Amino acid sequence: MSDRLTNNWTESLEEAFGPTGSKGREGELFALAVWSYWGYKVKDFESQRSTQLSGVDIEIQKPTWKHFYSMDVKNNIDEKGGFYIDISDKGWLFNPKKISHRICHVNPSKMFMCWYDRQQMRNALTNMKTDTKDVLHYVPQGYYSRIVNWRDLSSDKKFISYLKTINRNE
């Protein structure tokens, strides 16, 4: 089920989804800022239709890596650090049309971010998927700690200063 406001392709998430799209874009920009701050090369695919439809919002590359890794960004971390994963067949984790290497969850206002390998989380949740009719699976902060990399950037003064600098330049 899509919450798109139009069936036509749009260049921005806000045009396609209204306020939900604005929230999604805010999350993508936050993730791009974090990865860039950490010294990664970043690519933004907001306006690229085929890339977006395949579940790729951004790509990141650590200077020591040979290739970029793709990410689907979800702005859905709650105030306590937990987040939801869509485990339906057509959802963003199990849908075979979604091809990003990683999923990244963020909460820009709390400065929380976590990420994990798509296939590792699929493997971890496969049994749960067959045992439940729920399409959303809640993951409290700290669960799946072998898979999920979690960061709270709210006390990183250099990052906060960096964010202010890039926000002024936009």
Side-chain angles (χ1 to χ4, degrees), residues 5-23:
L5 301 176
T6 176
N7 289 329
N8 298 326
W9 175 252
T10 61
E11 293 277 320
S12 75
L13 290 171
E14 187 169 9
E15 291 174 89
F17 297 99
T20 304
S22 295
K23 180 183 175 195

Side-chain angles (χ1 to χ4, degrees), residues 58-81:
I58 67 173
E59 284 186 345
I60 63 167
Q61 181 186 32
K62 196 173 187 176
T64 57
W65 295 348
K66 213 173 194 177
H67 304 285
F68 278 85
Y69 285 86
S70 56
M71 291 191 141
D72 190 354
V73 179
K74 305 296 178 191
N75 188 352
N76 71 350
I77 296 181
D78 64 23
E79 300 295 308
K80 296 178 182 176

